[in-house]
Amino acid sequence: MHIDLYEKFWMWGAGAIIVVFLGTIGVATVSQGRLPPSHVETIDPTTVRADARFAAPGVTTNDDGSVEVTVIAMLFAFQPNEIRVPSNTPVTFRLTSTDVVHGFQIVGTNGNTMIIPGYVSQFTTSFEPGEYLITCNEYCGLGHHMMAATLIVEEGA
Ligand code: CUA
């Protein structure tokens, strides 16, 4: 088969770009330990409620004023369904699932993670005052579109 010289240039060029991109990921993973940031611990998805880390889902305030929110995702709800946190304060979310993969997206903010059964997802961010919709953004079944919660950010200290 005849391939035109310029066609070959483009083919090899495109191939080289792919190699560079994948190589960058490989180097970052191996040499700098870059991993998906949010899946920090493992957990038995069948005993989430008996696990001390998720025995009381909800909001707790640490001694230094930072806030921790534990959330359990399940078909088709988040527990708790309403979350209240202070504004301009670091809020650490810790989330897990009792069944299938769910999403946790706080619409209009940079708060967004996948929730995978067997893992604890964690991220920290802070918010401006307001009311935010939390949606599941991973298709999880027939009730996926109803899986939502509310984040209320109150004027903080
Ligand atoms: Cu949970 Cu979609």
Side-chain angles (χ1 to χ4, degrees), residues 9 11 28 30 38 44 72 84 90-91 94 114 121 128 136-137 139 141 148 153 155:
F9 284 161
M11 279 169 50
V30 174
S38 57
D44 182 347
I72 299 175
R84 276 176 194 273
V91 180
R94 286 172 55 77
M114 192 185 255
S121 304
E128 296 296 317
C136 174
N137 60 7
Y139 182 73
V153 182
E155 204 74 48

Side-chain angles (χ1 to χ4, degrees), residues 8-62:
K8 283 182 187 161
F9 284 161
W10 286 111
M11 279 169 50
W12 285 110
I17 289 170
I18 291 169
V19 169
V20 168
F21 284 177
L22 293 179
T24 305
I25 294 170
V27 168
T29 303
V30 174
S31 74
Q32 298 171 20
R34 298 254 174 92
L35 295 168
S38 57
H39 302 111
V40 294
E41 295 162 23
T42 56
I43 186 169
D44 182 347
T46 63
T47 58
V48 165
R49 286 168 200 290
D51 191 294
R53 294 170 289 176
F54 287 90
V59 180
T60 49
T61 304
N62 300 320

